[in-house]
Amino acid sequence: MEDAEVVIAGGGPAGCAVAAALAGLGLSVLLLDAGVDRHKQLAGELLHPAGIQDLRALGFGDVVEGWKAQPVRGFAVRFHAPARTLVLPYGRGVTGLSLEHATLTVPLLESVSRRRGVTARARARVTAVEHNDGHGVRLRYTHAGTEHTVRARLLVAADGRASPVRRMLGIAEHHKRLSTMLGVTVDSDCLTHPDHGHQFVGGAVHALAYAIQPGLARVMVDLPLGSTVQTLRDRPELLLALPSRLREAVWRALEARPAVRMASNDDWLAETVWMGSAVLVGDAAACCHPLTASGMASCFHDARALQESLHLHPGHITRALEHYAHARRPAQRTRVALASALYSAFAGQDEGMRALRMGLLHYWEHSPRGARASMALLSSEEPRMRVMAREYLRVVAHAFAAMLSPSGPGGSLRSAAPLLRSAGPPLRGTVASAVEQVGSWLHRRVRRPVYTLARAGWASPRRAFASNR
């Protein structure tokens, strides 16, 4: 039987980031990589500035500098009706990066495998978690055709949205399939705004596009569940939201069958991100629609949050994992809620969502501050749910303003009732989450310290607040 301080299941971006973070604390790390062919995956390729900053902080600066990546200075959002394009830059002049998925992930794995304290094993999979409590875990994994047993102080599940380890741990999950994503590569000259990600909204389907290397761009088309390449061939009207030149390039790419990649878009939410001495990071903990392109920045944030938690509570795994869960929760809740709200607004075809899109267009056109706030949320720079709730309310208000404006983008007061029906549920959920975040903040800043003082005899028990948070 082997012994390790930390076992990480998954050698993708999340697993590599966690391995670097925990090795930086002086822990011995066993990294198990299943060895999937990343050249065939339709996965993370666009990295927001916050993610790049976290990567550098984790010691991957040389990897970032070695990438043959394309700069991303913000997003160009093209509305289908009315036909209008708005450019939303990142704040403070910062820049993101985009590059092909394998080109991004393989150097990360190679780099972390050379770190002191990290042992990486390729084509290795966790097959069973035999024991897991606050004192450690015991698990089995296969490698080179042989099954091994290992005891560890901490198990990190970084094995993606469908995480087999999460299921082995018995952590309940909420899963909802949203759509099917089709990805093709085209000539980057077809993109209207160089150095930007592109969102195409308001048409029959939503699409996302960005450069991945000089002269080459990725276009990802969001299709109804169960769609295939043939669906797009049979229904050419689905691509009408794309500019004609880009639309023709996508048609040509569809004929090159090996170049077409497909994946499902899903919401995966774990009910808890830790259990015993096991913890979930990245998509294994929460996964949402990729239109915000925030998945990789999110997993790097998780790695740093876990590193900080273990640094603050050395030798106390339970306290560290509880701290990690609280530290990551605000940003993750905001990211998931934003992706859900934007997907509904960008892809919805009912009258209420059309009115909400007009509100977005009106808001961004008339409020530079609003455009900056939206971009801060989109890029994961702004993690507070109350900010998202405030911005959502402003978008709804601008939707009403657009209805009343004779020179506005369109709509009428007849859309008011459908708008309230469509915007109501996400708004209620966002406000409820914002209130929960404020309550959690009050607990950490007021209730918990007072309760601790009461237990020590320094404060009156009548003034202490007991809590199970």
Side-chain angles (χ1 to χ4, degrees):
M1 181 180 292
E2 300 177 67
D3 288 293
E5 290 182 287
V6 181
V7 174
I8 300 175
C16 292
V18 173
L22 302 193
L25 296 177
L27 300 174
S28 63
V29 175
L30 175 61
L31 178 62
L32 306 178
D33 175 36
V36 298
D37 186 352
R38 294 185 172 89
H39 291 87
K40 297 181 179 179
Q41 288 184 311
L42 187 62
E45 296 179 321
L46 195 152
L47 187 55
H48 293 305
I52 298 172
Q53 181 180 353
D54 284 337
L55 268 185
R56 293 185 183 278
L58 292 170
F60 288 109
D62 57 335
V63 176
V64 174
E65 296 300 329
W67 280 338
K68 295 180 179 179
Q70 300 300 294
V72 178
R73 307 190 187 283
F75 277 86
V77 184
R78 178 185 171 92
F79 290 82
H80 178 52
R84 196 127 0 134
T85 300
L86 297 180
V87 177
L88 307 178
Y90 290 122
R92 303 189 306 276
V94 296
T95 303
L97 295 174
S98 57
L99 66 165
E100 201 270 335
H101 181 67
T103 306
L104 184 153
T105 55
V106 171
L108 288 177
L109 182 57
E110 292 174 347
S111 174
V112 80
S113 299
R114 296 190 294 267
R115 298 281 181 100
R116 184 177 180 179
V118 177
T119 301
R121 294 186 177 164
R123 301 190 182 279
R125 294 177 181 271
V126 175
T127 56
V129 178
E130 297 179 336
H131 178 77
N132 174 40
D133 60 21
H135 302 289
V137 296
R138 184 177 69 250
L139 58 92
R140 295 197 308 270
Y141 72 92
T142 58
H143 176 241
T146 304
E147 189 166 67
H148 304 262
T149 302
V150 59
R151 291 178 300 196
R153 188 67 188 90
L154 176 66
L155 169 62
V156 181
D159 51 345
R161 57 184 180 177
S163 176
V165 173
R166 181 179 63 219
R167 296 177 181 177
M168 294 175 196
L169 292 168
I171 295 177
E173 61 192 35
H174 300 282
H175 176 216
K176 179 182 178 181
R177 293 200 64 192
L178 301 175
S179 57
T180 297
M181 188 68 84
L182 179 145
V184 296
T185 53
V186 301
D187 190 326
S188 60
D189 288 342
C190 297
L191 301 182
T192 57
H193 291 76
D195 301 342
H196 286 76
H198 294 65
Q199 299 272 5
F200 302 96
V201 305
V205 296
H206 170 262
L208 172 67
Y210 46 85
I212 55 174
Q213 66 183 55
L216 203 63
R218 177 84 67 207
V219 181
M220 300 201 299
V221 183
D222 189 88
L223 298 171
L225 279 174
S227 298
T228 64
V229 176
Q230 191 59 43
T231 303
L232 208 51
R233 293 193 181 103
D234 293 341
R235 300 179 60 190
E237 70 277 5
L238 293 177
L239 293 180
L240 287 178
L242 275 61
S244 58
R245 188 179 176 191
L246 181 58
R247 187 165 62 244
E248 292 168 2
V250 171
W251 288 126
R252 290 193 298 270
L254 290 176
E255 301 306 318
R257 295 178 183 271
V260 177
R261 304 181 188 181
M262 300 196 73
S264 64
N265 293 323
D266 305 74
D267 276 343
W268 292 86
L269 298 175
E271 285 195 354
T272 180
V273 297
W274 69 280
M275 178 180 289
S277 294
V279 64
L280 312 180
V281 299
D283 285 353
C287 179
C288 55
H289 195 281
L291 69 88
T292 60
S294 59
M296 286 192 297
S298 171
C299 75
F300 300 148
H301 177 272
D302 279 359
R304 294 197 67 191
L306 183 58
Q307 180 188 49
E308 179 186 3
S309 299
L310 291 170
H311 175 71
L312 290 174
H313 302 281
H316 299 281
I317 291 294
T318 299
R319 292 181 189 175
L321 298 188
E322 182 180 9
H323 183 276
Y324 163 76
H326 283 294
R328 73 179 295 279
R329 184 175 176 84
Q332 294 299 326
R333 288 288 296 272
T334 302
R335 179 178 80 95
V336 171
L338 177 67
S340 177
L342 278 181
Y343 181 62
S344 297
F346 283 1
Q349 296 301 312
D350 60 274
E351 188 176 359
M353 284 306 167
R354 286 195 293 271
L356 193 63
R357 281 197 294 276
M358 294 306 100
L360 270 173
L361 176 59
H362 192 271
Y363 186 36
W364 291 341
E365 281 187 326
H366 292 81
S367 173
R369 190 216 61 81
R372 290 193 297 270
S374 297
M375 199 61 196
L377 287 164
L378 182 69
S379 63
S380 302
E381 179 185 347
E382 173 55 76
R384 293 172 295 179
M385 184 69 80
R386 63 183 176 86
V387 174
M388 180 184 161
R390 181 193 71 197
E391 294 305 302
Y392 199 106
L393 281 169
R394 287 176 173 171
V395 169
V396 173
H398 275 263
F400 281 103
M403 294 175 194
L404 296 171
S405 173
S407 60
S412 68
L413 284 177
R414 288 176 300 184
S415 302
L419 170 63
L420 293 176
R421 283 196 300 269
S422 299
L427 181 59
R428 284 196 299 270
T430 300
V431 171
S433 295
V435 171
E436 181 184 334
Q437 278 190 12
V438 172
S440 180
W441 181 87
L442 287 172
H443 167 71
R444 293 194 304 273
R445 298 299 178 116
V446 181
R447 296 186 177 190
R448 183 171 289 178
V450 172
Y451 184 55
T452 301
L453 290 173
R455 292 179 60 185
W458 291 92
S460 169
R462 293 181 181 180
R463 288 183 162 183
F465 299 90
S467 173
N468 61 357
R469 287 180 183 268

